[in-house]
Amino acid sequence: MRKPSDLPARWMLGLLWILLAASPARGGPACDPRDRVPLEVEGRPERAGDYGRMLCGIRALLRERTGLDLDVPVRLRIVTDHRSFRRMSGHDSIVAFAVPGENLMVIDEIRLQRHPLEFGLTLRHEAAHILLHRHIPRENLPRWFDEGVAQWVS
C-alpha cells in the first residue's frame, strides 16, 4: 500500500519527466528539421518518433559542444529482455553500448525503465561515440578520449 507521503514525490517526478522530455536539449518541440537524423529503431518501432525527436536535439547539442556533426543515419536497438542484452554487452553493469562502425546504439530498456530520466543522457552518450568515430580515425582515437568526451557531453 502506498503511503500518502509518496504521492507528491511521484507527482513531482512525473512533472519533471514531462518538462525534461520537452526540453530542446533532449530533442523536444524546438528541434530544427535540418537536425533530423535518419533513424532506424529496432525493438520499439512505435517509439521511433519520440526517439527521433530526442536524437534531433542531441545532434544540435553535440554540434554545439564539439563542432562536429552527427551526419550519418543511426540505428537504435532497444532490447526488451535483460538477459539478451547481457549476452550482447558481456557485462551486467552496462545499460547501453555503441557499435560505431555500424552507427548502432543498443540500449537495455529494462534497466533504463528503473531510471527513466537517464534515457536521454544515455542516448546522448552513445551518440557521442558514433559522432567521434565518424570524424576521427580509430587509430587516432584513444579510448580514454572517446569515453571522456561521451561523459562530458552527457
Side-chain angles (χ1 to χ4, degrees):
M1 180 174 212
R2 290 186 186 153
K3 295 184 250 177
S5 61
D6 289 345
L7 295 178
R10 290 178 189 273
W11 184 85
M12 292 291 285
L13 185 60
L15 179 61
L16 180 62
W17 174 248
I18 290 167
L19 292 172
L20 288 173
S23 76
R26 297 244 351 244
C31 186
D32 185 324
R34 294 171 293 186
D35 288 329
R36 294 203 196 293
V37 177
L39 177 65
E40 175 187 329
V41 177
E42 303 169 22
R44 289 282 186 216
E46 70 277 6
R47 300 282 319 269
D50 295 335
Y51 298 144
R53 282 186 292 281
M54 290 173 73
L55 199 53
C56 181
I58 289 168
R59 179 182 184 183
L61 179 80
L62 290 174
R63 187 175 48 246
E64 177 186 312
R65 290 193 180 172
T66 68
L68 303 174
D69 191 18
L70 184 63
D71 57 353
V72 294
V74 173
R75 291 174 43 222
L76 175 61
R77 182 175 297 150
I78 305 295
V79 180
T80 58
D81 175 58
H82 178 65
R83 287 187 184 125
S84 296
F85 181 85
R86 185 173 182 201
R87 280 192 301 274
M88 286 184 236
S89 69
H91 202 281
D92 197 43
S93 67
I94 295 173
V95 297
F97 63 91
V99 183
E102 298 178 25
N103 298 332
L104 171 66
M105 296 181 283
V106 182
I107 296 181
D108 182 352
E109 181 184 57
I110 301 302
R111 293 279 301 282
L112 284 174
Q113 280 179 345
R114 294 182 210 147
H115 307 285
L117 297 177
E118 293 181 12
F119 187 88
L121 296 175
T122 301
L123 195 60
R124 189 185 307 171
H125 180 99
E126 301 308 330
H129 288 301
I130 292 173
L131 174 79
L132 289 172
H133 285 265
R134 164 81 173 103
H135 293 281
I136 302 171
R138 185 179 192 93
E139 62 274 6
N140 295 337
L141 184 59
R143 187 172 179 182
W144 62 265
F145 184 79
D146 184 14
E147 193 59 39
V149 170
Q151 288 289 340
W152 171 63
V153 299
S154 61

